[in-house]
Amino acid sequence: MIKLLLALFSASLLMSLPGWLSKQQKVQKNLFIRLLEVLVFYCLVGALGFAFESHIGNRFPQNWEFYVITLCLFLVMAYPGFVYRYLMRHPKGKFE
């Protein structure tokens, strides 16, 4: 369990490293990189959920429908962050 949490923490640090290194510069990410980030975080959250489930007891087998529904829920729950980041107006220079 600790190994999984350590892997999750290190992956999130590595994905946020470009933002830390270039605070003054504008970071440009294309659509492919942003979709890859969402997919990586979805897989990390899924692995964490499977670890909790198998630690508690039996791990239940899932079909493809389970993964499609959880991916859709993951995207729906990420939408408020997208709205705050890209669609709301912020003071000049905050997110540029």
Side-chain angles (χ1 to χ4, degrees):
M1 185 64 113
I2 292 174
K3 289 181 183 179
L4 184 63
L5 289 175
L6 185 63
L8 181 67
F9 180 71
S10 62
S12 64
L13 281 178
L14 285 175
M15 294 187 96
S16 62
L17 185 64
W20 285 342
L21 292 177
S22 59
K23 291 214 182 238
Q24 311 312 348
Q25 299 172 355
K26 196 173 194 182
V27 177
Q28 292 291 330
K29 294 182 188 177
N30 59 12
L31 179 64
F32 177 73
I33 297 296
R34 294 193 190 272
L35 288 177
L36 185 66
E37 283 180 350
V38 169
L39 184 64
V40 166
F41 279 120
Y42 171 72
C43 291
L44 287 175
V45 169
L48 186 65
F50 283 138
F52 284 141
E53 185 179 14
S54 62
H55 180 70
I56 291 172
N58 294 345
R59 184 176 118 19
F60 295 101
Q62 271 59 4
N63 293 329
W64 66 271
E65 295 94 348
F66 171 79
Y67 298 106
V68 171
I69 290 171
T70 56
L71 180 62
C72 291
L73 285 172
F74 191 80
L75 293 174
V76 166
M77 296 299 171
Y79 186 70
F82 172 79
V83 168
Y84 180 76
R85 173 71 170 93
Y86 294 106
L87 300 180
M88 292 178 65
R89 295 191 181 264
H90 297 285
K92 192 77 170 158
K94 186 173 182 180
F95 284 116
E96 301 219 16

